[in-house]
Amino acid sequence: MASGVKPRVKAPKKVAAGEIATIKCLISHKMESGQRKDKEGNKIPRSIINRFTCDFNGTNALDVTLEPAISTNPYFQFEVMIPEAGELKFTWYDDDGSVYETAKKVAIG
Amino acid sequence: MEFSRRDTLALGVGAAALTMLPISVSAAADDAVAAFTGGADVSETGVELTAPEIAENGNTVPISVEAGGAVAILVLATGNPTPGVAQFNFGAMSGAQAASTRVRLAGTQDIVAIAKMADGSFAKAQQTVKVTIGGCGG
């Protein structure tokens, strides 16, 4: 597992039913592209997050395949339809097999 | 300055390598496009790609894509060592077929976004970004 990985999500706590909410999320990750070389001229092996998904109450909203061209600390902004109260679940999949998860509750009101 | 036989040869090889390079790079991007579209026709309208005209730092270039009615959007950086950037697949709970992120660009190049619409057609948008400092390390 890459060190110091911390997911951060900004989502509204309360929305009107059927509203489209803007979600911003960022995860701290060095996203080593596999192109860089160290001082000795050896290639630093690739280590990135290769997939990100966002689900609302178990239904998928966004599924992103990431390539090495995504910047350090991958950031995404997107929109999710919120028809009812529930939970937004965010999942990041690392190249080394680790999975980082976080969730946000959304209320209607 | 006088050119020796060796200098002249080296110049020739260098020039040949320079002209070969862009061709091989765009071929990789074309392959990625073909793999995504399956060789189908791609229309020029229906996708909006927003990227800065000039990016000072190629390490983080903010881009956003939007395509109403799309099920997936593929983003490519044609001048990078590997052209793939990201593929966004929109699910049933998606509020709008739009997303923003930050990308790395190795140098001045075209960014291409290709959207796969719900009816199976494809649309594309392209924009040139000038990069002052490349983002691939070295």
Side-chain angles (χ1 to χ4, degrees), chain A residues 75-87:
Chain A
Y75 163 83
F76 291 107
Q77 182 185 330
F78 53 94
E79 320 229 317
V80 178
M81 168 83 98
I82 311 281
E84 64 211 9
E87 195 180 53

Side-chain angles (χ1 to χ4, degrees), chain A residues 4-56:
Chain A
V5 175
K6 188 181 169 214
R8 266 169 278 184
V9 174
K10 196 169 185 185
K13 287 192 174 67
K14 224 179 195 189
V15 297
E19 195 179 301
I20 290 168
T22 302
I23 315 288
K24 295 173 183 177
C25 59
L26 185 143
I27 186 164
S28 50
H29 192 284
K30 59 188 185 326
M31 293 292 276
E32 196 58 64
S33 69
Q35 302 281 348
R36 295 200 310 149
K37 289 179 177 149
D38 63 15
K39 275 184 213 147
E40 286 80 42
N42 305 313
K43 271 206 171 163
I44 304 170
R46 173 182 137 154
S47 166
I48 67 166
I49 286 171
N50 55 42
R51 184 165 171 236
F52 164 70
T53 61
C54 172
D55 298 275
F56 181 73

